[in-house]
Structure formats: structure tokens, C-alpha cells
């Protein structure tokens, strides 16, 4: 947290930058107000890097377009219905939104957009006091009608007005509360926390698309655990992601197993650490984080109390993949994300067979083939799934996975495993066997692929010999 003087100095430098100054002067010349608002102002006090700039104004969207067109390299009005105009001014991407006082009627899943008349009114209707900060331009005057600076200094998350009214206006703000506790490391004040618990059910009024977008933002935070715990404790998760609180399984006095809920959060923490340390994925990686969060959701449905105090979860990987697919579809995630997450969950236990006996090269090839383009994520998820406090066991599993990755790398170098395919293509198969395109060509192709996975590259001559022998022995 920077001092108020340091933050104001930083904001002054931003206001004096050519793109912002040009924009501020253009609005002033047109007789309209302009203020930098929300995240950029908050982040100046937190000492964080500022990215895209958000502004608010008394000008209507039509008037905003008239003002920015002469000074913008590009502009777009995709958010025009909500009062937002986007533009590229110099090197800065900006969004300019007309003062708003929109709210929900408790029935529709989208807000009623109502334009406001003053900056203070616009700020008071925002989600949290730390986001209800503005810098008037071009005079560079800080506006803080709700005590946001005090809350920033205290590390406190609080709504500008009664949380019951604020969450009633937009129930999605409860999920934003979870995101900001994670991304800012702030604590929710008691009244706001209590309102979340009593009003959690109103999240049902929000569209699945908006819920999933907010969940994705939370998971992309550097440390999303606190936000997820808040969602579970408040009851929000029971509505939007019920599989997560369901992991808090009751412990039978005669049967003991690790706390699946806490294990899941630890796996997510570790996956994020590996994601950053290995540096082979774009970070933050939503697919990996969803897979870590959901990898054990099949356990409640497969839990079985065995004799001798043992608890089993047979096939929870397969069941979990199906449950994850169902939940992510309900949340309107895209198909590529859904398929990738489900595949990772389905495969996340495969490695543990490697520690029980030596894998053949064929088994290693199949591991790579089945993972496909999710191999790096599977490496991370599998390593992250080791949460035992037994140092010897943890080291043994870690060394075993090191060995598996080394074998994969060696085979990949020798055989171009990233593009494993048979030694003969479809055209060659048809020519050798005298076939036309059809089902039998596919069967022959799959047979040669299995041969390739079992024994590595065969060469065209050996592949032809095996193909002919297989064809002759089919007993047609």
C-alpha cells in the first residue's frame, strides 16, 4: 500500500500522459465532465501496475463518440447499450461509460440500464468502496464519497451503501466480493459477509454466462483460495458450483480419509505454483485451474466404506469427468475448455500405476497419446495431486514422475511422439490392401497405430508386412 501522497503523485503522472491529457481536454472543450474511475485509481494506491483505463462521464454514448472520433486511432461501441464506448487513444486502450444508476428488478437476469447525472451518484452505485474512487480530469481532483481510501488503508472490503441494497441491485457483486478477497487480499466487513449469507440464493437471478465469467476471473487470481472458501462459507458455491462444498465429506468414526475439500484447495494452490515455476503455459491458465478444482468431484458419489476402516473412491476419475462436463456446460463454458478439463480429470490417476511397476515404452507412448495437447497440464495436475505430509512418500512420487517425464522426453526425441501416427497413411493402406475409402481402412489404420504405440517406429517395409499378415488373418 502506497501513501496517499505517493498515490496522488502517480495519478498526476498518469493524468499528464499524452493520451489521458488529450482525452480530458477533448471532453472539457466539449463542455462535459470526465473522470478516471475504479480499478486504475484503486491500483495507484496499492502500488499495482495499471492496464486498461476506465473513465466515466456525463456525456451520453452518442456524445462520447462525437468527442473521441477525432482523437482516437480506433473506436468501438459494442457496449453502447450499457453506456460504454471503447477507444484506442495513442497507446492506451480506454473505455468511457456514461454515469449510471442501473439495478435489477429481482426477476430479469440482466440489469436495467439507467443513466445517471452526477459522478458521486455513479460512484455510490458501484460494488465496493475501494472501487468507488475517481480522479476528476483535467483538474486531477480525487473523489471519494464512500470512504474508499480508509478501506484501502484498512484492507477492508465494504459496499458503498447497505449491502442488502447493493447485492439486491446486482447479486453478482457477491461473487465479486469473493474475487476481490482473493485478488486484493482484503477481508470482508461483518455486515457485508452477513448479507452474502442471507442473500446467496439471489445469485440464481444472474445469467450463467455472467456467473461463469466471474468464476473464471476468480480462478485467474494469483491466489484464488480465499475467494473460493468465501463462496463455500457464504453458501454461494452451493448454488453455482455445488460440487465444491460437496467435497466436505463427513468422517465416519470408524473410517478415516483425508479431507477432500482441503486437499482440493491445496492441489489448486500447488498447481498454480507449478504453472508459474515451469513457465510452459500461459499464466494464469484457466483450464489447469478448473481441472485442479474439480479433479476429485467424483469422490462423494463413489465413496464406499470398506472393512478395516478403509475408504475407497473407485472410478471417481471417470465419474468426476462426467460431473465436470455437466457442471461446466451448465455454466456455459466453451466446448474446448469443457473437453480439456474433463480429459484431465479422467486421466489424473493414470500416473499412479507407474509407481506400482515399470511401464513399458508402449505404456509411456499411450500416456502421451491419451493426454494429447493436455500433456503439460496433466504433468502439473498429477504432481499437484500429491499432498501427503509423509516426506518419503512425497519424494518417491516426485522422483517417479521425474523419471516418467525423462522417458517421455527421450522417446519424444527419438520418435517425434508429439505427432504419433502409423507408419502408413490411409492412401498407402488402400493401395496395399486394394480397398476403397470406408470402415475397413479405419480399422487397418487403428491396427497400425496400436503397433506403432507398442513397438515404436516400424518403417514402411515392416509396417506393410504386419498389415498384410493382419489382413490375411482376419478370416473374412
Amino acid at each position: 500500500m502506497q501513501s496517499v501522497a505517493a498515490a496522488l503523485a502517480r495519478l498526476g503522472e498518469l493524468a499528464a500522459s499524452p493520451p489521458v491529457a488529450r482525452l480530458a481536454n477533448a471532453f472539457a472543450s466539449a463542455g462535459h465532465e470526465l473522470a478516471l474511475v475504479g480499478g486504475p485509481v484503486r491500483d495507484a494506491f496499492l502500488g499495482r501496475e495499471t492496464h486498461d483505463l476506465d473513465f466515466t462521464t456525463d456525456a451520453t454514448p452518442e456524445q462520447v463518440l462525437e468527442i473521441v472520433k477525432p482523437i482516437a486511432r480506433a473506436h468501438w461501441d459494442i457496449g453502447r447499450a450499457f453506456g460504454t464506448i471503447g477507444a484506442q487513444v495513442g497507446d492506451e486502450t480506454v473505455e468511457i461509460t456514461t454515469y449510471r444508476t442501473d439495478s435489477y428488478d429481482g426477476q430479469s437476469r440482466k440489469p436495467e440500464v439507467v443513466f445517471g447525472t452526477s459522478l458521486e451518484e455513479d460512484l455510490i452505485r458501484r460494488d465496493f468502496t475501494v472501487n468507488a474512487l475517481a480522479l476528476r480530469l483535467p483538474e486531477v481532483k480525487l473523489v471519494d464519497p464512500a470512504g474508499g481510501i480508509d478501506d484501502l488503508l484498512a484492507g477492508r472490503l465494504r459496499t458503498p451503501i447497505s449491502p442488502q441494497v447493493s447485492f439486491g441491485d446486482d447479486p453478482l457483486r457477491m461473487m465479486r466480493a469473493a474475487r476481490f478477497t482473493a485478488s486484493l487480499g482484503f477481508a470482508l466487513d461483518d455486515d457485508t459477509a452477513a448479507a452474502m449469507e442471507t442473500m446467496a440464493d439471489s445469485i440464481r437471478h444472474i445469467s450463467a454466462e455472467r456467473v461463469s465469467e466471474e468464476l473464471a476471473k476468480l480462478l485467474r487470481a494469483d491466489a484464488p483460495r480465499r475467494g473460493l472458501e468465501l463462496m463455500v462459507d457464504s453458501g454461494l458455491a452451493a448454488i453455482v458450483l455445488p460440487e465444491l462444498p460437496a467435497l466436505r465429506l463427513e468422517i465416519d468414526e470408524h473410517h478415516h480419509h483425508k479431507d477432500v475439500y482441503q486437499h482440493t484447495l491445496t492441489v489448486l494452490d500447488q498447481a498454480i505454483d507449478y504453472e508459474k515455476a515451469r513457465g510452459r503455459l500461459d499464466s494464469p491458465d484457466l483450464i489447469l485451474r478448473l481441472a485442479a478444482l474439480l479433479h476429485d468431484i467424483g469422490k462423494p458419489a463413489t465413496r464406499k466404506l470398506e472393512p478395516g476402516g478403509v475408504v475407497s473412491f473407485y472410478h471417481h476419475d471417470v465419474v468426476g469427468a462426467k460431473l465436470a462436463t455437466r457442471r461446466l456446460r451448465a455454466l456455459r463454458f466453451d466446448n474446448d475448455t469443457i473437453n480439456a478439463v474433463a480429459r484431465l480429470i479422467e486421466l489424473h490417476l493414470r500416473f499412479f500405476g507407474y509407481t506400482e511397476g515399470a511401464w513399458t515404452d508402449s505404456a509411456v507412448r499411450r500416456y502421451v497419446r491419451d493426454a494429447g495437447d493436455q500433456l503439460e497440464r496433466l504433468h502439473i495436475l498429477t504432481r499437484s495431486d500429491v499432498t501427503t505430509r509423509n516426506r518419503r512418500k512425497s519424494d518417491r512420487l516426485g522422483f517417479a514422475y521425474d523419471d516418467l517425464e525423462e522417458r517421455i522426453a527421450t522417446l519424444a526425441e527419438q520418435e517425434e511422439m508429439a505427432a504419433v501416427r502409423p507408419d502408413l497413411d490411409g492412401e498407402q493402406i488402400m493401395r496395399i490392401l486394394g480397398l476403397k475409402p470406408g470402415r475397413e481402412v479405419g480399422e487397418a489404420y487403428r491396427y497400425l497405430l496400436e503397433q506403432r504405440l507398442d513397438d515404436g517406429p516400424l518403417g514402411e517395409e515392416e509396417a506393410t508386412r504386419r498389415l498384410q499378415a493382419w489382413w490375411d488373418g482376419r478370416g473374412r
Side-chain angles (χ1 to χ4, degrees), residues 97-361:
T97 302
T98 305
Y99 297 153
R100 280 166 49 173
T101 59
D102 40 300
S103 63
Y104 281 75
D105 59 13
Q107 302 298 321
S108 171
R109 292 192 170 203
K110 294 184 178 180
E112 178 187 358
V113 178
V114 180
F115 294 145
T117 58
S118 75
L119 175 59
E120 287 75 13
E121 180 185 43
D122 177 272
L123 293 175
I124 287 295
R125 68 98 190 163
R126 289 175 181 262
D127 51 8
F128 301 102
T129 60
V130 296
N131 295 328
L133 301 169
L135 190 72
R136 284 191 183 274
L137 300 170
E139 59 264 50
V140 191
K141 178 183 178 182
L142 184 66
V143 182
D144 177 17
I149 298 298
D150 290 339
D151 288 338
L152 277 173
L153 293 170
R156 179 173 55 233
L157 202 62
R158 181 174 61 88
T159 55
I161 56 177
S162 160
Q164 289 80 8
V165 174
S166 181
F167 294 158
D169 284 345
D170 185 355
L172 191 67
R173 287 173 176 167
M174 294 183 288
M175 288 190 66
R176 289 197 196 118
R179 170 161 61 97
F180 287 125
T181 59
S183 62
L184 300 179
F186 286 6
L188 218 58
D189 85 306
D190 291 342
D191 289 345
T192 306
M196 283 183 67
E197 292 183 20
T198 58
M199 300 181 68
D201 195 66
S202 64
I203 198 69
R204 299 182 192 276
H205 296 306
I206 303 301
S207 67
E209 290 82 0
R210 294 187 72 212
V211 168
S212 65
E213 181 180 1
E214 196 59 45
L215 177 62
K217 288 179 180 179
L218 167 57
L219 286 174
R220 289 188 176 105
D222 279 347
R225 182 174 188 146
R226 287 184 62 180
L228 292 167
E229 289 174 332
L230 177 57
M231 283 187 60
V232 171
D233 294 343
S234 66
L236 279 174
I239 300 167
V240 303
L241 194 65
E243 294 80 5
L244 183 58
L247 295 175
R248 297 190 294 187
L249 303 176
E250 293 183 8
I251 305 297
D252 183 274
E253 62 177 317
H254 302 297
H255 295 77
H256 301 282
H257 59 79
K258 63 187 173 186
D259 185 323
V260 182
Y261 171 64
Q262 290 300 325
H263 162 76
T264 294
L265 295 178
T266 300
V267 171
L268 177 60
D269 289 341
Q270 295 185 165
I272 292 171
D273 289 342
Y274 276 120
E275 169 195 298
K276 295 175 181 176
R278 289 169 71 101
R280 301 175 190 171
L281 298 172
D282 291 335
S283 184
D285 189 272
L286 181 61
I287 289 173
L288 172 65
R289 297 180 184 201
L290 280 168
L293 183 65
L294 303 178
H295 79 284
D296 272 349
I297 61 172
K299 281 191 170 180
T302 58
R303 180 172 180 250
K304 184 177 180 182
L305 306 180
E306 306 281 5
V310 176
V311 181
S312 66
F313 302 97
Y314 294 123
H315 306 303
H316 76 268
D317 46 349
V318 177
V319 172
K322 293 179 180 178
L323 291 174
T325 297
R326 186 183 310 163
R327 176 56 52 197
L328 295 179
R329 281 179 179 165
L331 288 171
R332 305 293 194 269
F333 279 91
D334 63 273
N335 287 333
D336 288 344
T337 297
I338 294 171
N339 293 336
V341 171
R343 191 61 171 153
L344 288 166
I345 295 173
E346 185 179 357
L347 293 174
H348 83 274
L349 293 180
R350 180 79 65 86
F351 158 74
F352 293 96
Y354 190 83
T355 64
E356 297 168 2
W359 277 11
T360 62
D361 285 351

Side-chain angles (χ1 to χ4, degrees), residues 48-64:
R48 297 187 174 195
E49 186 177 345
T50 299
H51 296 287
D52 294 347
L53 301 180
D54 296 325
F55 296 87
T56 188
T57 180
D58 63 336
T60 65
E62 292 74 18
Q63 291 169 329
V64 171

